[in-house]
Amino acid sequence: MNRASIGLVLAALVLAPAALADAPGDGTFKPAVLGDTSLRLDLSQAIAREASQPEAEKPPAVQRPVGYGLAGSQWWTIGAAYAKDFHEASDFNVHFDYSIFIADDLEFALEGAGWYFHQRGDDTGGVSASMLFRWHFLHPKDNHDWTVFGDVGIGLLFGFDEVPDGGTGFDFLPRVGIGFTKAFNDSVDGESRGPRWMVGVRYHHISNGRIASDSRNPARDAVCVYAAITFPF
């Protein structure tokens, strides 16, 4: 029911008692009262006033930031990484990230990855869960068409066998690195909103933190390079 209809009902409720009060004492009701000019005029004016009132405006919908690098914007990332310890071992992973900018230029990400480890002894696989902070400390003044970032993070690795060989199936994955992002397309109104490339290099460490003894912690260090595509969520 719109406001004009509500006004009509209210006017009828208010005027009905007055009409009944003018009814003759024999208990009969004269509909002619409703035809009275003044009554009809008052009712018409009330309806016109209600109809002329604008409907209450809805508050504007809250728009979630979509520009890369803006606080509140959210992103999915898919990528692959390769690490080499310059001896006998190499690691390969495919990873998926969900990230949110908790402040302008400061990104927090959760990452899940599947791994393959080529190493002395038996090769094996594994899965990991990590978290990281990424600071985009360099980009054009008025947009984020490209950024240079530094990141730091740590994760937990669950190997299907010993990683490294002679160690355990559970390890920590601390990391620190630097990288670069570049938008596929130019920014819109100063905001880079679409998919973008991400490439980087980082120091990559695998260690169980001596949870099983010093002798069962053949930790290794490696240089890891990676490439990914990130797109708005």
Side-chain angles (χ1 to χ4, degrees), residues 26-216:
D26 58 4
T28 61
F29 175 67
K30 296 190 298 182
V33 172
L34 293 178
D36 181 76
T37 304
S38 59
L39 177 59
R40 190 165 59 247
L41 179 60
D42 290 342
L43 185 58
S44 299
Q45 290 175 342
I47 294 173
R49 283 196 300 271
E50 289 294 331
S52 65
Q53 294 296 325
E55 293 291 335
E57 295 183 359
K58 295 181 179 180
V62 177
Q63 298 294 323
R64 188 175 69 187
V66 294
Y68 193 77
L70 299 181
S73 62
Q74 302 175 50
W75 300 79
W76 287 114
T77 301
I78 180 172
Y82 175 79
K84 181 71 175 177
D85 71 349
F86 299 108
H87 294 289
E88 302 176 17
S90 57
D91 314 324
F92 174 80
N93 82 29
V94 175
H95 55 270
F96 300 88
D97 294 15
Y98 162 75
S99 65
I100 181 171
F101 279 84
I102 57 178
D104 285 354
D105 302 328
L106 181 59
E107 186 179 8
F108 173 73
L110 298 174
E111 178 179 288
W115 293 81
Y116 176 77
F117 300 100
H118 174 69
Q119 57 189 11
R120 183 180 59 186
D122 295 332
D123 293 353
T124 190
V127 295
S128 68
S130 304
M131 65 177 184
L132 64 97
F133 290 92
R134 185 178 290 125
W135 176 37
H136 299 260
F137 61 87
L138 182 63
H139 56 80
K141 181 178 179 181
D142 298 323
N143 60 60
H144 289 74
D145 282 349
W146 58 264
T147 70
V148 177
F149 65 81
D151 63 15
V152 60
I154 190 168
L156 301 177
L157 169 67
F158 303 91
F160 303 149
D161 203 340
E162 296 175 350
V163 182
D165 182 62
T168 60
F170 171 80
D171 291 283
F172 299 100
L173 293 173
R175 69 196 225 186
V176 61
I178 191 168
F180 176 83
T181 73
K182 177 67 174 69
F184 285 6
N185 302 307
D186 294 334
S187 61
V188 177
D189 297 329
E191 295 182 7
S192 181
R193 302 177 180 178
R196 59 201 298 122
W197 293 107
M198 178 184 292
V199 295
V201 59
R202 64 175 179 253
Y203 161 74
H204 167 79
H205 182 71
I206 300 176
S207 170
N208 64 28
R210 301 183 177 89
I211 59 175
S213 73
D214 288 350
S215 62
R216 292 202 63 193

